Amino acid sequence: MSSDPKRNQKKINPKPVQLNPNWSLLQQKLKSDSQGNKGTRKSLNNGNPENPSSVLGKRKERPDSEVDVPKINPLTPVNDDSSLTDEVAMDCEMVGVSQGTKSALGRVTLVNKWGNVLYDEFVRPVERVVDFRTHISGIRPRDLRKAKDFQVAQTKVAELIKGKILVGHALHNDLKALLLSHPKKDIRDTGEYQPFLKDKTRKSLKHLAAEILGADIQNGEHCPIDDARAAMMLYQKHRKEWEKNVKDQTRMWLKQKKRKPKKKVKEGNASTNHNPIV
């Protein structure tokens, strides 16, 4: 009778492998840590970010005030129309000549009613420059090497402002530097406008731009383009009231002129002594 080797083969059970005590302790610790992390994630999902077992914690949100929002310059023109308009704003930057105390034109800028540049040129003074006043004027020696001659700039500016409403701040200084004049009825000076005065004292253009327009100008070197734009925007913002004020003043001046009595000829001067000749 043949014997089946498979039946005769005894079943051998493998002996369980004994783990190192340190390894089993490590496994138990890993299991307990994983269960703790699950509980932490659940508590975070339930809206409890203050659980001390959290490793990373909830991301700190920045308050709205700290969010970087690009600042919009209120002096930026709303269009790119550079045509000559009925209102023109002007600003000039000066350099020092003679002993440095005398001012001369170093740069002149004109913008239209939208703030777009009509004319912006460095100007070479007739006299030798001894102080460029760079910290205020922003003018450097290299700027005047290819600058316009004074007479060329003067002629162009006179052409542009002729018959226009001229807007600016302390315009008498700019006109003096240009050796030009302009009809008083056509001047709109933000340094002279009554509602802009404080106790009959003139405010600086920088102060008016910050207070009324929310614009930050003249920090260090002045930019005549920004200054001209600020003056024009101040005028445009108050144009209706400003023009009404000008009309009222003109009307009052005409009335006073009509009421002004004519000088009467004295009777003593009218009569002449006719003494007979003896």
Side-chain angles (χ1 to χ4, degrees):
M1 185 170 88
S2 61
S3 61
D4 190 353
K6 291 183 180 181
R7 290 181 180 177
N8 294 334
Q9 193 176 19
K10 292 182 179 179
K11 292 181 181 180
I12 301 173
N13 294 326
K15 294 182 180 180
V17 180
Q18 279 189 334
L19 295 175
N20 189 305
N22 293 334
W23 177 248
S24 60
L25 288 173
L26 181 60
Q27 282 185 327
Q28 290 177 2
K29 180 163 178 53
L30 289 172
K31 287 180 180 179
S32 62
D33 287 346
S34 63
Q35 290 176 355
N37 288 337
K38 287 180 181 178
T40 302
R41 284 194 294 269
K42 285 181 180 179
S43 63
L44 286 173
N45 291 334
N46 291 333
N48 183 19
E50 298 180 357
N51 195 317
S53 61
S54 174
V55 178
L56 296 177
K58 188 177 180 180
R59 182 180 176 182
K60 186 178 180 181
E61 294 182 0
R62 296 174 64 186
D64 294 339
S65 59
E66 294 183 9
V67 177
D68 295 331
V69 179
K71 291 183 179 179
I72 299 174
N73 185 359
L75 301 179
T76 303
V78 295
N79 59 43
D80 56 356
D81 188 346
S82 297
S83 60
L84 184 60
T85 53
D86 292 336
E87 301 97 4
V88 175
M90 180 172 70
D91 188 76
C92 296
E93 296 299 334
M94 314 297 176
V95 292
V97 296
S98 186
Q99 299 299 318
T101 55
K102 183 181 177 182
S103 295
L105 183 67
R107 184 179 175 183
V108 56
T109 302
L110 297 172
V111 302
N112 62 14
K113 71 178 184 180
W114 296 295
N116 293 308
V117 176
L118 296 170
Y119 188 75
D120 179 34
E121 293 290 346
F122 290 102
V123 181
R124 188 184 301 108
V126 177
E127 298 182 59
R128 187 175 70 88
V129 179
V130 296
D131 185 3
F132 287 89
R133 304 176 182 175
T134 307
H135 64 289
I136 295 176
S137 70
I139 300 173
R140 292 166 173 76
R142 66 173 180 267
D143 297 324
L144 300 188
R145 287 171 193 158
K146 295 183 180 181
K148 297 287 184 182
D149 290 334
F150 174 79
Q151 290 182 346
V152 174
Q154 180 194 49
T155 302
K156 185 63 178 177
V157 171
E159 177 188 328
L160 290 170
I161 68 174
K162 185 178 180 180
K164 306 297 182 184
I165 298 294
L166 184 60
V167 182
H169 191 83
L171 280 169
H172 60 279
N173 292 328
D174 297 340
L175 291 169
K176 182 181 178 181
L178 282 157
L179 301 180
L180 293 175
S181 61
H182 200 70
K184 188 176 180 180
K185 66 181 181 64
D186 292 335
I187 289 179
R188 304 293 183 268
D189 196 323
T190 56
E192 303 288 343
Y193 184 47
Q194 190 69 30
F196 291 166
L197 303 180
K198 184 179 182 181
D199 299 327
K200 297 183 179 180
T201 304
R202 298 174 187 170
K203 292 182 180 180
S204 66
L205 181 61
K206 178 181 175 65
H207 183 94
L208 290 172
E211 180 183 15
I212 300 173
L213 305 176
D216 191 16
I217 62 172
Q218 297 182 352
N219 289 319
E221 297 178 9
H222 292 195
C223 174
I225 297 176
D226 283 347
D227 291 355
R229 284 173 174 171
M232 177 57 80
M233 191 167 287
L234 286 167
Y235 168 70
Q236 292 292 345
K237 197 176 183 68
H238 296 265
R239 183 176 178 275
K240 189 175 180 180
E241 299 87 351
W242 200 325
E243 291 304 318
K244 183 179 181 299
N245 184 275
V246 170
K247 286 181 180 178
D248 291 343
Q249 287 183 346
T250 304
R251 194 181 298 113
M252 188 180 299
W253 179 80
L254 290 173
K255 283 183 179 179
Q256 289 176 350
K257 189 178 179 181
K258 287 180 180 179
R259 290 176 183 175
K260 194 174 182 180
K262 294 180 180 180
K263 291 182 179 180
K264 294 182 179 180
V265 180
K266 292 182 180 179
E267 294 179 359
N269 294 335
S271 63
T272 57
N273 295 326
H274 300 284
N275 294 326
I277 299 173
V278 179

